[in-house]
Amino acid sequence: MVDFTLTDEQRNLREMAHDFAVGEIRPVAWEYDRDATWPQEIIEKAWEVGLMNSHIPEEYGGAGAGYLDGCLIEEELSWGCSGIQTTLGCNGLATAPVIIGASEAVKQDYLGRLTEAPLLASFCLTEPDAGSDVSSMRTTAVRRGDKYVINGSKCFITNGGHANWYTVYAKTDKDAGHRGISAFVVPRDAGVVVDKKEDKLGQRASNTATISFNDVEVPAENLIGEENQGFKIAMMTLDRTRPGVAAMAVGIARAAFEFATDYSRERVQFGVPIAMHQAIQFMIADMATEIEAARLLTWKSAVTLDQGERNTLISSHAKRFAADTAMKVATDAVQVYGGYGFIKEYPVEKLFRDAKIMQLYEGTSQIQRLVIARETLLPRRAEEPTAVAA
Ligand code: COS
């Protein structure tokens, strides 16, 4: 059965997220972007009303919401400001590996921290020389007695400067390529050092940091899953989070589309609103179709997960198409505004800058195409596990 009808609960959730975006995010979004303001107050309010940590299971204090529910929230909050939503949504990325494979005690402790207080966690995979090529990471974790000792540096870490704890990927066997990577939960007070906050093109209200680990010790029980399972845990995590990122891209595209259509009705050239010109109408029509298509792919990728099925292919379709759509729609929105679109006083300039990162983080559009090509050409991948032993 194919049914695109949301339940009453889902409609209410979407409405709540939209009202929050209208009331709490939109009024400050452009100012926070200009000044790269850390949105602490908004984090606390979003946490209070239950718009954060929606995927954390109920037994750890979370809402236990589904992936489609998460996408509904993510689209609305990103419509408000994708930089602020990147901050609010990042716990979903950091907690996914823990939910997939951490021990019960680690889940109780670290997931519980996020549901008991408005705290943040970060996901530490990328390194200066290991972006798309995850296997070439250099951070190491060496077992010493009942501890692991972690050394290395991670970059582009969302919320890195503000996190209470980190999911960290490190080599436990340097010679084993992707089969030598393990994942750990690392509390900030174990000695994590925040080196640098990035000054970014877009999504400037989010914190992106470089952090390092110098002989940071964690208990052996903080290992997620088994030793050397980290690469698969990372891939399974990205399968779970890419639908939400796609939803965020839809939110940016929708915001740009709305500004562009409103402006096209008001702006008069050649004696009529520019919306009367077919050149503008065709741009608006393409935006509308692509946003609709991006949302359908996004919802399908989330529903596939909610049904307990492997969603690697469809989540790459969704993430790739939605990210490219956000960039294209935001670019065309600037075009509809003409010269004014290039001026910071007008809203689409920010959306154009914000959209770019959607094609870069959580796997570039090229990596999504690579996954799509492999999944299409090598169907054996459908046999891969969707869960690991804890
Ligand atoms: N679920 C479970 N297992 C998976 C998987 C998935 N979605 N994708 C790959 N695997 C498994 C493979 O089956 C293979 O297993 P074996 O060791 O048993 O053979 C293993 O993982 C390695 O897979 P693969 O050969 O495809 O690895 P590559 O090194 O070629 O890398 C890409 C694959 C490029 C897709 C991967 O490195 C990637 O996604 N890179 C982008 C990382 C990214 O998104 N970074 C953004 C920052 S995080 S916010």
Side-chain angles (χ1 to χ4, degrees), residues 126 132 178-179 231-232 239 242 312 363 374 381 384:
T126 302
S132 297
H178 71 267
R179 292 186 180 154
F231 186 91
K232 285 189 187 177
D239 285 351
R242 283 175 182 155
T312 306
R374 287 185 183 183
R381 285 168 173 273
E384 277 161 1

Side-chain angles (χ1 to χ4, degrees), residues 123-143:
F123 181 82
C124 304
L125 184 68
T126 302
E127 297 184 4
D129 294 320
S132 297
D133 180 11
V134 172
S135 314
S136 66
M137 71 172 59
R138 291 192 196 148
T139 297
T140 56
V142 176
R143 176 110 191 204

Side-chain angles (χ1 to χ4, degrees), residues 49-279:
V49 298
L51 288 172
M52 288 175 67
N53 304 314
S54 64
H55 302 328
I56 296 184
E58 288 175 38
E59 58 262 47
Y60 309 108
Y67 288 96
L68 179 58
D69 302 337
C71 286
L72 300 175
I73 297 174
E74 278 153 322
E75 180 181 331
E76 295 311 316
L77 300 187
S78 177
W79 171 90
C81 172
S82 59
I84 293 173
Q85 166 50 23
T86 288
T87 309
L88 300 177
C90 181
N91 280 0
L93 178 63
T95 56
V98 174
I99 294 168
I100 290 170
S103 71
E104 190 52 33
V106 167
K107 285 182 184 171
Q108 289 287 353
D109 182 353
Y110 289 91
L111 299 178
R113 292 183 190 202
L114 305 183
T115 56
E116 277 157 25
L119 296 177
L120 301 171
S122 290
F123 181 82
C124 304
L125 184 68
T126 302
E127 297 184 4
D129 294 320
S132 297
D133 180 11
V134 172
S135 314
S136 66
M137 71 172 59
R138 291 192 196 148
T139 297
T140 56
V142 176
R143 176 110 191 204
R144 269 195 217 131
D146 58 357
K147 290 183 167 34
Y148 281 92
V149 182
I150 301 176
N151 279 289
S153 180
K154 298 282 176 179
C155 63
F156 305 153
I157 305 305
T158 299
N159 292 348
H162 297 267
N164 176 268
W165 56 269
Y166 303 81
T167 306
V168 180
Y169 294 82
K171 283 267 168 84
T172 31
D173 182 346
K174 281 196 227 170
D175 303 320
H178 71 267
R179 292 186 180 154
I181 294 170
S182 301
F184 301 88
V185 174
V186 180
R188 186 190 184 112
D189 59 14
V192 176
V193 176
V194 180
D195 296 313
K196 180 184 168 207
K197 177 195 166 203
E198 303 293 353
D199 187 9
K200 306 192 298 284
L201 172 74
Q203 299 207 347
R204 291 171 52 76
S206 72
N207 173 270
T208 307
T210 299
I211 60 175
S212 57
F213 307 88
N214 305 310
D215 286 330
V216 168
E217 290 188 353
V218 293
E221 72 157 16
N222 284 24
L223 172 70
I224 300 175
E226 288 166 20
E227 227 179 65
N228 301 327
Q229 265 190 337
F231 186 91
K232 285 189 187 177
I233 290 171
M235 293 303 120
M236 288 161 62
T237 294
L238 296 172
D239 285 351
R240 284 158 176 72
T241 55
R242 283 175 182 155
V245 178
M248 286 179 60
V250 175
I252 297 174
R254 201 180 102 213
F257 171 76
E258 289 173 7
F259 282 119
T261 47
D262 288 351
Y263 185 79
S264 71
R265 290 191 193 101
E266 291 160 13
R267 170 77 172 160
V268 175
Q269 289 289 274
F270 302 102
V272 290
I274 59 171
M276 301 296 287
H277 299 303
Q278 208 173 46

